[in-house]
C-alpha cells in the first residue's frame, strides 16, 4: 500500500523538524548564493521570504548549524507557509516527495522552457 503524502503542517513534531531542517538547509544554501529567484515565485504576496531573509542576515556570523537552527526557531511559521505555497508533500518521516535538489532542477528546467 502506498504511503499518503501530507503537507508539512500535518506532520508530527519529529517529522516536521526533519522537513524544516532539510528545507532550511536547501533554502540557506540558495540564500548564500543569492539565488532565490525560483523560490521567490511562490511568495508573491505574503513576505515569508523577506522575514526569513531578515533573520538570516541578522545571524550571518553564526556557525551554519546555529544559523539554520536559529532561523527555524524564529521563522518556523514562515517556512511552513512557504512550503505550503510551494505545494510539496512529505512522507511521514518528514522527507519530501522529491528531494530539494531534484525539485529545483525540475522547476528551473520548466522555467527555462517557458
Amino acid at each position: 500500500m502506498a504511503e499518503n503524502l501530507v503537507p508539512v503542517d500535518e506532520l508530527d513534531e519529529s517529522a516536521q523538524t526533519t522537513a524544516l531542517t532539510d528545507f532550511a538547509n536547501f533554502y540557506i544554501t540558495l540564500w548564500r548564493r543569492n539565488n532565490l529567484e525560483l523560490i521567490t515565485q511562490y511568495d508573491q504576496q505574503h513576505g515569508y521570504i523577506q522575514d526569513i531573509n531578515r533573520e538570516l542576515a541578522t545571524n550571518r556570523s553564526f556557525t551554519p548549524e546555529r544559523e539554520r537552527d536559529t532561523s527555524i526557531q524564529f521563522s518556523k511559521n514562515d517556512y511552513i507557509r512557504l512550503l505550503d505555497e510551494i505545494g510539496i508533500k512529505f512522507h511521514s518521516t518528514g522527507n519530501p516527495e522529491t528531494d530539494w535538489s531534484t525539485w529545483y532542477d525540475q522547476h528551473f528546467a520548466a522555467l527555462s522552457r517557458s
Side-chain angles (χ1 to χ4, degrees), residues 68-80:
R68 180 203 59 222
D69 294 346
T70 302
S71 177
I72 293 169
Q73 178 183 358
F74 288 102
S75 302
K76 180 177 181 177
N77 289 330
D78 292 310
Y79 279 117
I80 289 171

Side-chain angles (χ1 to χ4, degrees), residues 42-49 51 78 85:
Y42 296 92
D43 184 23
Q44 297 291 318
Q45 300 176 348
H46 303 291
Y48 307 131
I49 288 173
D51 293 343
D78 292 310
E85 292 292 325

Side-chain angles (χ1 to χ4, degrees), residues 6-8 54 59 62 64 72 81 84 91 95 106 113:
V6 298
V8 68
R54 185 180 316 114
N59 300 314
F62 290 178
I72 293 169
R81 298 301 148 234
D84 285 343
H91 298 276
N95 295 319
Q106 290 170 345
R113 288 189 299 265

Side-chain angles (χ1 to χ4, degrees), residues 5-101:
L5 297 170
V6 298
V8 68
D9 56 350
E10 292 182 20
L11 294 170
D12 66 33
E13 186 176 339
S14 175
Q16 192 175 84
T17 297
T18 298
L20 291 174
T21 300
D22 188 38
F23 180 67
N25 283 329
F26 169 72
Y27 182 97
I28 292 168
T29 298
L30 294 177
W31 178 77
R32 285 186 186 131
R33 294 178 182 159
N34 197 26
N35 191 19
L36 290 172
E37 292 84 2
L38 182 61
I39 298 290
T40 302
Q41 300 297 311
Y42 296 92
D43 184 23
Q44 297 291 318
Q45 300 176 348
H46 303 291
Y48 307 131
I49 288 173
Q50 182 179 1
D51 293 343
I52 293 167
N53 292 353
R54 185 180 316 114
E55 189 62 40
L56 288 170
T58 300
N59 300 314
R60 181 169 267 190
S61 64
F62 290 178
T63 64
E65 294 81 17
R66 185 169 176 216
E67 178 184 42
R68 180 203 59 222
D69 294 346
T70 302
S71 177
I72 293 169
Q73 178 183 358
F74 288 102
S75 302
K76 180 177 181 177
N77 289 330
D78 292 310
Y79 279 117
I80 289 171
R81 298 301 148 234
L82 182 57
L83 285 166
D84 285 343
E85 292 292 325
I86 290 171
I88 197 158
K89 304 290 188 210
F90 295 85
H91 298 276
S92 62
T93 58
N95 295 319
E97 60 186 324
T98 304
D99 70 81
W100 287 110
S101 59

